[in-house]
Amino acid sequence: VLACLRGEPTADAQYRFATVLFTPAFRRQSFQPWLDGLDRGLAVATTPLERARLLMVRAKLVITGERAAEGMAAADQALALAPDDPLVVAHARTALGLGSIRSRDLEPALVHLQATLDALSRIDAANLESAAWNNIAVVHHIAGRASEARAALERALPHAGNPVVRANILLNIA
């Protein structure tokens, strides 16, 4: 992060800078400065894994900003660059799932989100697993499958370490 502030935008520094500042940008819905930073990082990335990490953050950012097709393209690129990295696969598949939800293409959304869970089973990432189950619950809810939505939320609950996330899951179950 300090390297970015000093004007030394290595790909890794841009990735860390973007992920640290993602939450405030998400809350304000002001994504363009972070997209610009990610693009600068992509310009100096030297390895496929660096590019994949930057692309997966970019994918989630633009999908959240209602640009699903652009985000899904970035997620596909990330998957192509690092198909064996479980964290890249998990984030990219989550982005593809969220893009599919935005497009109301629910069955592919479930396939992508299940692939997220498969990738997460290879690493220790309980919070991400909770989020994946929550996203699966959203798909079932939109499709009118209340019992499947509830079951997915109940699967999310044991993995939710954050008290706010736990509370939201409990509220959604209720």
Side-chain angles (χ1 to χ4, degrees), residues 5 33 66-67 84 117 161-162:
L5 295 175
E66 309 260 345
R67 292 160 44 187
D84 298 324
L117 290 170
N162 181 318

Side-chain angles (χ1 to χ4, degrees), residues 99-141:
S100 295
I101 291 170
R102 286 215 181 269
S103 303
R104 297 286 194 224
D105 206 358
L106 302 181
E107 293 312 311
L110 284 175
V111 170
H112 290 302
L113 296 171
Q114 186 59 54
T116 298
L117 290 170
D118 294 344
L120 292 174
S121 70
R122 298 184 300 180
I123 57 176
D124 182 26
N127 284 336
L128 293 174
E129 192 169 344
S130 176
W133 280 113
N134 190 62
N135 289 332
I136 289 171
V138 168
V139 173
H140 287 307
H141 174 75

Side-chain angles (χ1 to χ4, degrees), residues 28-96:
R28 290 190 314 272
Q29 298 285 310
S30 59
F31 302 118
Q32 197 56 51
W34 312 122
L35 290 174
D36 294 344
L38 289 166
D39 289 342
R40 285 191 301 275
L42 284 166
V44 298
T46 57
T47 69
L49 185 57
E50 285 179 340
R51 290 188 57 74
R53 290 172 71 195
L54 290 160
L55 284 164
M56 73 182 185
V57 174
R58 189 177 212 296
K60 284 185 166 182
L61 202 58
V62 294
I63 286 171
T64 304
E66 309 260 345
R67 292 160 44 187
E70 183 183 341
M72 292 175 83
D76 283 334
Q77 289 175 346
L79 279 174
L81 288 168
D84 298 324
D85 185 287
L87 190 58
V88 170
V89 171
H91 281 288
R93 289 300 200 135
T94 297
L96 290 166

